[in-house]
Structures are given as structure tokens and as C-alpha cells.
Amino acid sequence: MNKPMAVRALWVAGVMAMSSVYASEKPTLSISWPPPDAAITPGADKEKAVGVVVKSNFQLKPAGQCGGQANCGHIHMKIDPQDDSCNIPGKPYNSMNSDTGGELIKARFGYCKRVTGRHVIGVLLADDHHRPVLWEGKPVTALVAVDVK
């Protein structure tokens, strides 16, 4: 099993332990930027943030703004989702767009124990209540491996 697939398997196992919600139609989620194996330079800010652009057939709105609307939610992100080494202290994630919605989310490499080098950015589609969206029993996720300079 290659590393991105192994990372996805570990992340999915952790997510499945959480409560979740099933989608009514097949959800799509992808990372359109950065592309796979991109060399990226983190921001000069304390969080060393890099913008990540996602695409989904779900409407990406701030948490609590879907009002029961089907196919609506937001994104949770983990960097190196096989462990918690890049999470915000005390949080089970590195970032999410639950405050803003939309297709842009920050990857905050400044929280990683090791900023430079190879990392995997993982995103997960969540519903209005932060529960993972499932399709065919599996959470809807996307991964991209990058090299941080």
C-alpha cells in the first residue's frame, strides 16, 4: 500500500469512530491547489499558512448556516492525518473553514513539529454539525502530498 493510501486508511479509521451523517447523493471532494507533489513555500506569518483550494458538489457554507439544506457543509483539514503532529494544540484538526465556508482553507504548517519536508494535506467533508459526511459507509475525503520548502 503506498503512503497516501495508508494515510487515508488510518484517517478513515479514526473518522469512523466519530458520529457521522450519510449523504443523499454522491458527494465529491478534491483538492485543486496545491497539485500533487508541489513544492510550496509557507507564509511568513506565525502560522506559516498556505491557502488550499478545494472543490465539492456540496455548498460549502459556515457551520450552522445550512439550515437543514441537503448537500451542504464545510471542510475539516489535517496535515499529516496519520497522527496529530500538525494539529492546533487541543484540537483534533489543523484547520477548517466552518467560520467562512467557501473553497479556500488555510493549511497552518506552523503547528507542525517539522515545518519543512514532505507533508500530506487531508480534507474531510463535514455537515452543518461537524459530523463527517459518509458515502457508501466511508467518509468523503481528499489527500494531496506536498513538499514544504
Side-chain angles (χ1 to χ4, degrees):
M1 181 181 293
N2 63 31
K3 185 166 181 170
M5 291 302 292
V7 168
R8 183 183 305 268
L10 285 170
W11 194 26
V12 166
V15 167
M16 293 303 290
M18 302 164 49
S19 68
S20 52
V21 61
Y22 282 85
S24 59
E25 66 181 65
K26 185 176 182 177
T28 61
L29 179 64
S30 63
I31 298 172
S32 58
W33 199 94
D37 301 316
I40 59 175
T41 303
D45 60 314
K46 178 183 171 190
E47 292 185 325
K48 300 192 181 312
V50 172
V52 173
V53 179
V54 298
K55 298 287 182 197
S56 178
N57 64 346
F58 267 48
Q59 290 189 43
L60 300 176
K61 293 184 176 182
Q65 299 300 308
C66 291
Q69 179 182 356
N71 298 331
C72 183
H74 62 277
I75 302 297
H76 291 200
M77 175 188 289
K78 282 191 82 166
I79 297 173
D80 300 334
Q82 74 276 11
D83 60 41
D84 297 327
S85 64
C86 291
N87 288 356
I88 295 171
K91 304 286 183 184
Y93 54 83
N94 176 271
S95 187
M96 62 176 137
N97 69 348
S98 63
D99 291 335
T100 60
E103 296 178 337
L104 181 64
I105 185 169
K106 288 182 184 180
R108 298 173 168 133
F109 289 97
Y111 290 112
C112 297
K113 291 179 174 73
R114 175 188 49 84
V115 173
T116 59
R118 189 80 164 170
H119 288 282
V120 174
I121 298 170
V123 293
L124 170 114
L125 187 58
D127 77 352
D128 220 11
H129 305 285
H130 301 285
R131 298 175 301 196
V133 172
L134 300 180
W135 183 255
E136 296 180 344
K138 297 176 185 168
V140 179
T141 63
L143 299 171
V144 67
V146 297
D147 291 305
V148 180
K149 295 180 175 186

